[in-house]
Amino acid sequence: MNLSDIREKVKECRLCRLCEEANNSVPGEGSENADILFIGEAPGKKEDEMGMPFVGAAGKFLTEMLSACNIDRQDVFITNVVKHRPPANRDPLPDEISSCFPYLQDQIDIIQPNVIVLLGRHALNRFLPDLRISDVHGSAMRAQGPLAEKHIFFPVYHPASALYNPKMRDTLIKDMKKLPVLLKKIKKSNVSS
Ligand code: URA
């Protein structure tokens, strides 16, 4: 299986109600060899129109932060916990997140990223259910449990939460700037272990 197979499966997916009102599926985009996987919450209006993740205002801010970290958007992979837009941008429901999880798991297994950046509380709580984003943002962590133990996670606030909040914006930029250093460390320890 490769990322195109997942794209096709997501396009045909009828496992939950979200496909009923969505215009397009948004499986994710980027490099199959990405060192960094970004996981957001759910597609919004613009993403639903274009079938691509993070192409609206939050996405523009994410791309800006990547540039500030000298990371090319094409070199990472960006996706969401659910692959269709929830009506009126409501939060994805627990059963929708669970139905969609096998696609995310397959993406992770194929890409094998060095670090998984969890954008906001929905992505955080899918892997680390007991943690609060306000407590753990900007700290890299491994987690116990079958969903999480193999990976290094780096939770940050969701870019949309920082759009109109200058304090949050500064915090998010500060956290994201730790990412290149973290990645370098992980790669170094992978080589020496
Ligand atoms: N917010 C998300 O969580 N994901 C997107 O793709 C766009 C906005």
Side-chain angles (χ1 to χ4, degrees), residues 98-128:
S98 298
S99 303
C100 214
F101 188 67
Y103 301 122
L104 183 55
Q105 187 65 69
D106 286 344
Q107 288 172 321
I108 294 171
D109 290 344
I110 291 166
I111 297 167
Q112 301 265 355
N114 287 112
V115 57
I116 298 178
V117 181
L118 302 169
L119 299 167
R121 69 189 165 92
H122 290 283
L124 172 68
N125 291 147
R126 176 65 262 197
F127 295 93
L128 303 155

Side-chain angles (χ1 to χ4, degrees), residues 103-193:
Y103 301 122
L104 183 55
Q105 187 65 69
D106 286 344
Q107 288 172 321
I108 294 171
D109 290 344
I110 291 166
I111 297 167
Q112 301 265 355
N114 287 112
V115 57
I116 298 178
V117 181
L118 302 169
L119 299 167
R121 69 189 165 92
H122 290 283
L124 172 68
N125 291 147
R126 176 65 262 197
F127 295 93
L128 303 155
D130 300 328
L131 301 183
R132 288 158 61 110
I133 192 75
S134 52
D135 294 333
V136 297
H137 68 90
S139 316
M141 57 191 67
R142 255 181 224 280
Q144 298 300 312
L147 295 182
E149 64 199 1
K150 287 189 293 189
H151 302 289
I152 294 176
F153 295 98
F154 185 68
V156 295
Y157 284 115
H158 193 286
S161 69
L163 283 179
Y164 306 105
N165 182 333
K167 237 176 127 179
M168 191 77 105
R169 193 182 162 93
D170 290 349
T171 305
L172 183 49
I173 293 172
K174 194 168 152 222
D175 288 347
M176 288 286 265
K177 286 203 167 158
K178 296 180 189 170
L179 200 47
V181 183
L182 172 66
L183 186 60
K184 223 171 159 179
K185 258 197 202 159
I186 296 170
K187 283 181 152 184
K188 208 170 152 196
S189 77
N190 286 350
V191 168
S192 57
S193 62

